[in-house]
Amino acid sequence: DSVLAVDSLTGSTVWDNPTEGFVDSTPTYYAVDQVVFCGSDDFRVYALHAASGNQKWNTSTGDVVYSSPTVDGDRQSVYIGSNSNGLYSMNTETGEIKWVFYTTDNVQSKPAVGSGTSSHLVYAGSWDGFLYAVHADTGALQWKRLLSPPPWDPDDTGTGIDASPTLTPAGDIVFIGSYNR
């Protein structure tokens, strides 16, 4: 129930910042501000000072956050998904929510920010089976593509897409894993 910093040479704890829920989200280090961003089962996204672990801010998404954050320094945005069915854009400095794009199911994949020709887009998969491309500044839907159509396992209520997208350096191709294809 915490985010930890561990010395890479000795394995000793540098700091330990407790949260009120499990942390399944992989922390993302943002070197420019020397901040670590992470989601938690307590419904919150945290920004922690990398040197001390002290909290800079936390923002609630209304449901658990398994997604790992992606930082876009040019836009001062951190993008992250939530089981609230939302893909969030938050201000890296304040945690203020800039926009939320809602899908019809959990967003657990780590968002990817486009590059090159797609640098204005953010991509994420959802348990509803779609890969989404939304505008990085507004959250407006650019396009969506059904990659994991039903029927899924009838004993599993959500097995669409929880894999994380990645792009070519030119930004012309998105790669992502899915179920049932």
Side-chain angles (χ1 to χ4, degrees):
D1 293 11
S2 63
V3 180
L4 297 108
V6 177
D7 185 286
S8 64
L9 298 178
T10 66
S12 62
T13 300
V14 177
W15 51 257
D16 182 343
N17 186 300
T19 68
E20 295 178 23
F22 295 116
V23 178
D24 296 307
S25 172
T26 301
T28 297
Y29 174 66
Y30 181 47
V32 173
D33 291 342
Q34 297 191 4
V35 173
V36 176
F37 297 99
C38 192
S40 173
D41 285 12
D42 66 5
F43 302 1
R44 299 191 166 279
V45 176
Y46 290 87
L48 308 172
H49 294 282
S52 65
N54 292 334
Q55 193 175 124
K56 182 173 182 176
W57 55 259
N58 74 70
T59 300
S60 178
T61 66
D63 208 328
V64 298
V65 181
Y66 295 130
S67 173
S68 298
T70 298
V71 177
D72 181 346
D74 292 338
R75 290 184 173 84
Q76 291 186 319
S77 294
V78 58
Y79 303 104
I80 195 164
S82 170
N83 279 15
S84 68
N85 302 346
L87 171 62
Y88 290 78
S89 172
M90 298 176 185
N91 182 290
T92 56
E93 288 296 314
T94 66
E96 177 184 353
I97 296 173
K98 294 180 172 186
W99 53 258
V100 184
F101 174 81
Y102 286 102
T103 71
T104 60
D105 212 331
N106 302 333
V107 178
Q108 295 184 355
S109 76
K110 177 179 181 170
V113 177
S115 57
T117 59
S118 64
S119 63
H120 63 291
L121 298 175
V122 177
Y123 303 87
S126 171
W127 277 23
D128 63 10
F130 283 91
L131 171 63
Y132 291 89
V134 301
H135 197 284
D137 293 322
T138 65
L141 179 66
Q142 180 82 18
W143 56 261
K144 66 181 184 177
R145 169 81 192 274
L146 183 62
L147 298 179
S148 292
W152 300 303
D153 180 344
D155 296 327
D156 192 347
T157 59
T159 55
I161 299 174
D162 57 6
S164 299
T166 190
L167 287 91
T168 60
D172 58 340
I173 303 288
V174 181
F175 303 98
I176 192 162
S178 72
Y179 294 94
N180 295 328
R181 267 285 184 219

